Amino acid sequence: KESGSRAMKLDLATVSGATAYANYTMYEQISRDQSTGTLTTTNWALAISADNTNYQNAANWATTFSTTRYLKFAFNPSVPTGAVITSVTLNFYYRSNTAGNTACWYGEAYNGATLLASYGSSGTPQSCNTGNTTYSTDTVTMSQLTSANDASAVTDVNNLAVRAYMRESGGRRTQVDFVQLNVNYYLD
């Protein structure tokens, strides 16, 4: 309740837990608000694919790539120390916001300011998607982040940030429907 019968702002809602192997934090995917007496359901734009919710970037993209213009996605999969990482993939679903235009992207993986790997380049994008009727559903294999019981690989994955550099043929915005990091590992 709010003493003045006013709206409230929520900044963060998480659930944290622990297992014998690692601590974890779960983040919101869907919020349901019934403060008015009527249920309003809001999906977090990038958590679930094909849910009619997407993230539209704040400004128009240029028609060429620029290293100063990107979307950045940070991850913390809480892989436990001593784990052997067998595979890492990134799902990235996007499209142009404008009918008939073409959106392209390439990515870079970082641990802080340290570049770990590139996926495509400004000369050879990871992929391009023409039109805005369907999302490009890219799955990027991030083999540089796998390990053979390598503590630095676990640190890199737990501090991973991916930059998605984008261009759009008409200099317009794009829509991102889904971003997910998939990490498979076992404890040695």
Side-chain angles (χ1 to χ4, degrees):
K1 73 179 185 177
E2 203 277 334
S3 63
S5 297
R6 303 276 190 237
M8 296 186 319
K9 293 182 180 181
L10 298 177
D11 180 46
L12 178 68
T14 61
V15 174
S16 299
T19 69
Y21 302 108
N23 298 333
Y24 62 90
T25 302
M26 297 178 354
Y27 295 89
E28 174 187 25
Q29 291 186 353
I30 298 172
S31 64
R32 292 180 174 85
D33 182 344
Q34 197 158 340
S35 61
T36 65
T38 303
L39 179 64
T40 303
T41 301
T42 305
N43 294 326
W44 185 65
L46 304 176
I48 302 169
S49 67
D51 60 354
N52 295 321
T53 305
N54 62 62
Y55 174 77
Q56 188 177 125
N57 51 297
N60 290 340
W61 293 109
T63 57
T64 59
F65 288 111
S66 169
T67 58
T68 62
R69 299 185 63 166
Y70 54 85
L71 298 175
K72 181 178 177 181
F73 306 100
F75 303 95
N76 180 0
S78 299
V79 176
T81 302
V84 177
I85 300 171
T86 58
S87 69
V88 180
T89 59
L90 175 75
N91 298 111
F92 186 72
Y93 299 3
Y94 73 99
R95 68 183 180 190
S96 174
N97 194 47
T98 305
N101 285 6
T102 299
C104 301
W105 83 285
Y106 74 94
E108 292 179 341
Y110 286 86
N111 177 350
T114 303
L115 175 64
L116 302 173
S118 296
Y119 306 97
S121 67
S122 61
T124 308
Q126 178 67 34
S127 75
C128 292
N129 182 357
T130 300
N132 74 334
T133 55
T134 60
Y135 287 97
S136 177
T137 55
D138 296 354
T139 299
V140 179
T141 300
M142 305 175 90
S143 57
Q144 298 88 339
L145 300 175
T146 59
S147 68
N149 201 7
D150 181 358
S152 65
V154 171
T155 300
D156 288 343
V157 168
N158 283 339
N159 296 303
L160 186 65
V162 174
R163 291 181 184 178
Y165 299 94
M166 301 193 81
R167 71 174 187 215
E168 206 276 351
S169 63
R172 303 293 174 96
R173 297 178 186 198
T174 55
Q175 299 172 7
V176 177
D177 182 47
F178 184 60
V179 179
Q180 177 176 287
L181 183 70
N182 308 291
V183 182
N184 292 308
Y185 65 89
Y186 65 89
L187 295 174
D188 194 17

